[in-house]
Amino acid sequence: MSKIMRYVVLPIACLLFIVTAVLQVSPSVRAATPQSTAGAHIQSQASAIATVSWGPNRIDYFVVGSDHAVYHKWWDGSRWNPSLTGYEDLGGYVISNITAVSWGPNRIDLFVVGSDHAVYHKWWNGSQWSGWEYQGGYVISNIAAVSWSANRIDLFVVGSDHAVYHKWWDGSQWGPSLTGYEDQGGYVISNIAAVSWGANRIDYFVVGSDHAVYHKWWDGSQWGPSLTGYEYQGGYVISNISAVSWGANRLDYFVIGSNNAVYHKWWDGSQWGPSLTGFEYQGGNMYSDVSADSWGPNRIDYFVVGQNRAVYHKWWNGSQWGPSLTYFEYQGGFAISNVSVVSWSANRIDIFVVGKDHAVYHKWWNGSQWGPSLTGYEDQGGYALV
């Protein structure tokens, strides 16, 4: 992968989701009006900024520059590095969003799609960055990566035949091989949303050619409902899916319906709520996908960009949605990307967006208030191409 750059850029081409019946979803972030997609991919910006935290008071984030190289900025507990508005050049030539995952303290793994549509991997081992490792494949989606224990990574992509493909790192080698992938079937017109709620457990969600949501899971010994089969979960969605887990055997995911509102489904340990194929209506008039995170048991915070391009926030406090089931907290700004959210400890949230001047902007919750203010943002520089 080649290198170049100067300004920070939004990753390109990211595929949108879909859900049937009660749901229908918002236009892509790039589109000014709703689009009919009937079986085609919908182009949209997913999180332009890939955020990860490997320990308390630590944040690393990554963006793609206007030269398609990867750029890095990090918070070390006292300041932003290499500076508040500067970035470290990590090279490469990327045509996807960046996927960042950490499986332990001082460890980061990055995955991107190169100009040849193959997967490339780079990692931080605690003292230095590796080069770009070629991992083969021909990918038409962003990459979904998840870690369920130390030295374990599973990644998922959509291939040129629209099927899902899987690769894993077991602590010593890549399976089924460094450049090979396990075929998991399906016909997918979205990115993949993957999440783990415990050791040796993975759940992921996709949108099929009928625009419904489908689910597959790894239970520690086999894939359910089968290696190439999927559980039908209904809906009709044209946004990406945002999935989060706040505890063992608990899942929540969010989509945008065709009326531009947010819809929610959850697994409580024994059944799907409000039903296997139903969704809870949460209101709003949204322009972006949902970005959800959890900083503790029975807690969810999610962020969306409204039609006015401002950021909006909703949270679950263990007993109810705030500020209410169908209302959102206004957080200002003018965002041209989805929101990227990360938490490095209980009651701490950091969010990042790309502003109308194409720079990266930051806001944080410190446990008692939003900084620099409820509707203000810290300018972190760069130039993100949309």
Side-chain angles (χ1 to χ4, degrees):
M1 301 178 76
S2 65
K3 185 184 161 196
I4 348 178
M5 156 86 187
R6 214 154 120 211
Y7 302 108
V8 181
V9 78
L10 270 182
I12 39 190
C14 130
L15 306 165
L16 275 206
F17 281 142
I18 338 224
V19 188
T20 262
V22 228
L23 300 180
Q24 322 221 264
V25 186
S26 73
S28 75
V29 176
R30 285 186 185 173
T33 55
Q35 302 176 10
S36 170
T37 59
H41 288 292
I42 304 170
Q43 298 290 332
S44 157
Q45 301 161 343
S47 295
I49 303 157
T51 52
V52 66
S53 175
W54 49 256
N57 217 351
R58 174 75 193 205
I59 301 170
D60 290 76
Y61 76 76
F62 305 86
V63 292
V64 178
S66 58
D67 57 354
H68 296 269
V70 174
Y71 289 84
H72 174 216
K73 190 192 295 288
W74 64 98
W75 172 257
D76 65 8
S78 58
R79 68 187 185 94
W80 285 101
N81 297 276
S83 69
L84 177 60
T85 58
Y87 294 80
E88 176 185 51
D89 181 358
L90 295 181
Y93 191 98
V94 178
I95 63 167
S96 69
N97 290 323
I98 301 163
T99 297
V101 65
S102 175
W103 50 255
N106 219 351
R107 173 73 193 203
I108 303 170
D109 290 78
L110 302 181
F111 300 90
V112 298
V113 178
S115 58
D116 56 356
H117 288 267
V119 173
Y120 289 84
H121 173 217
K122 185 190 286 282
W123 62 93
W124 171 256
N125 65 9
S127 59
Q128 62 183 1
W129 285 100
S130 71
W132 289 99
E133 176 185 61
Y134 173 75
Q135 296 202 330
Y138 190 97
V139 178
I140 63 169
S141 68
N142 289 319
I143 299 164
V146 66
S147 175
W148 48 258
S149 73
N151 217 355
R152 173 73 195 204
I153 302 171
D154 290 77
L155 68 88
F156 303 88
V157 295
V158 179
S160 57
D161 59 353
H162 293 262
V164 174
Y165 289 85
H166 172 221
K167 186 191 293 291
W168 61 93
W169 172 256
D170 66 8
S172 59
Q173 62 184 359
W174 285 98
S177 68
L178 176 61
T179 58
Y181 292 78
E182 175 185 63
D183 182 358
Q184 297 205 332
Y187 190 99
V188 177
I189 60 172
S190 69
N191 288 314
I192 299 159
V195 66
S196 174
W197 52 255
N200 218 350
R201 175 73 194 203
I202 302 170
D203 291 77
Y204 74 78
F205 305 87
V206 296
V207 177
S209 58
D210 60 351
H211 298 237
V213 174
Y214 289 84
H215 172 220
K216 190 191 292 290
W217 62 93
W218 172 256
D219 65 8
S221 59
Q222 61 184 358
W223 286 100
S226 69
L227 175 62
T228 58
Y230 292 80
E231 176 185 62
Y232 173 75
Q233 296 207 331
Y236 191 101
V237 178
I238 58 168
S239 74
N240 281 304
I241 298 168
S242 182
V244 66
S245 175
W246 51 255
N249 214 357
R250 175 71 196 206
L251 295 168
D252 290 78
Y253 72 78
F254 304 87
V255 295
I256 307 287
S258 61
N259 58 354
N260 294 348
V262 176
Y263 290 84
H264 171 220
K265 189 191 293 288
W266 63 94
W267 171 257
D268 67 8
S270 59
Q271 60 184 359
W272 286 99
S275 69
L276 176 61
T277 59
F279 291 80
E280 176 186 61
Y281 172 74
Q282 296 206 333
N285 183 19
M286 304 310 174
Y287 186 67
S288 73
D289 297 334
V290 179
S291 299
D293 196 19
S294 174
W295 51 253
N298 219 349
R299 175 74 193 203
I300 302 170
D301 289 79
Y302 75 76
F303 302 85
V304 287
V305 178
Q307 292 291 337
N308 59 356
R309 308 303 186 269
V311 174
Y312 290 85
H313 173 217
K314 191 190 293 287
W315 61 93
W316 171 256
N317 66 8
S319 59
Q320 61 184 3
W321 287 99
S324 74
L325 176 62
T326 58
Y327 284 86
F328 293 77
E329 176 185 62
Y330 173 75
Q331 296 205 329
F334 191 104
I336 61 170
S337 70
N338 284 342
V339 181
S340 184
V341 56
V342 65
S343 174
W344 49 257
S345 74
N347 216 356
R348 173 73 195 204
I349 305 169
D350 289 77
I351 67 169
F352 302 85
V353 295
V354 178
K356 63 181 176 183
D357 60 352
H358 294 255
V360 175
Y361 287 84
H362 172 221
K363 185 193 295 292
W364 62 94
W365 171 257
N366 65 9
S368 59
Q369 61 184 3
W370 285 98
S373 69
L374 176 60
T375 59
Y377 292 79
E378 175 185 62
D379 182 356
Q380 297 207 331
Y383 189 95
L385 294 181
V386 179

